[in-house]
Amino acid sequence: MEIRRLFVYGSLRQGEENEMARLLHARSRYLGAGTIRARLYAISWYAGAVASADAGDVVRGDLFELDAGSAGEVMAALDAYEGSDFRLSPVDVEMPGETPLRAHAYLYAASAEGLPWIRHGDWPRSGSAAGEAGNGRGATGLAHPAEPG
């Protein structure tokens, strides 16, 4: 299966400065910001999205269209980067004023039990860890899944 559209929500987003983000951005076209129906969890210095049936659960991210000539090479590098805890899965990406687009995203495949849920669905930017200042939200956007509200 050839992957052409990739939705990213963490360290690969537009504006991130790391080796894999630079590879993706150099070999793809940015289509814009969007959301998928999922819950976002703080795992460590990175996040993991888990698919959700609840329409209120959204994860914010960016949609890219991979260059046809290098899509296989880019996806092989990203597969190695994401590792075995993430599974490439089909997703529908909602974008303002657009018909939902079918894409793929690396969703968290390990257990999210006990991990902090990032209710606002937007991973802290600029390398900030969950709960630290960095996107203006800090820990206020985190909630343990067992906590109400």
Side-chain angles (χ1 to χ4, degrees), residues 6-18 20-34 60-65 122-127:
L6 185 66
F7 178 83
V8 297
Y9 54 85
S11 64
L12 299 174
R13 287 189 72 180
Q14 186 79 354
E16 291 294 321
E17 292 294 329
N18 62 70
M20 289 297 116
R22 285 190 294 273
L23 173 69
L24 173 63
H25 302 164
R27 297 193 182 177
S28 64
R29 181 170 63 101
Y30 177 67
L31 298 179
R60 299 173 199 315
D62 298 313
L63 184 61
F64 291 89
E65 183 172 44
D122 201 358
W123 180 244
R125 306 305 284 273
S126 303

Side-chain angles (χ1 to χ4, degrees), residues 60-118:
R60 299 173 199 315
D62 298 313
L63 184 61
F64 291 89
E65 183 172 44
L66 299 170
D67 296 337
S70 60
E73 176 187 345
V74 170
M75 291 308 300
L78 293 178
D79 284 347
Y81 173 72
E82 294 292 347
S84 61
D85 283 347
F86 290 85
R87 183 171 299 121
L88 195 60
S89 303
V91 294
D92 291 318
V93 181
E94 300 276 344
M95 300 175 72
E98 300 284 336
T99 302
L101 293 173
R102 193 68 159 169
H104 284 80
Y106 287 97
L107 299 182
Y108 193 57
S111 173
E113 185 175 339
L115 294 174
W117 169 28
I118 304 170

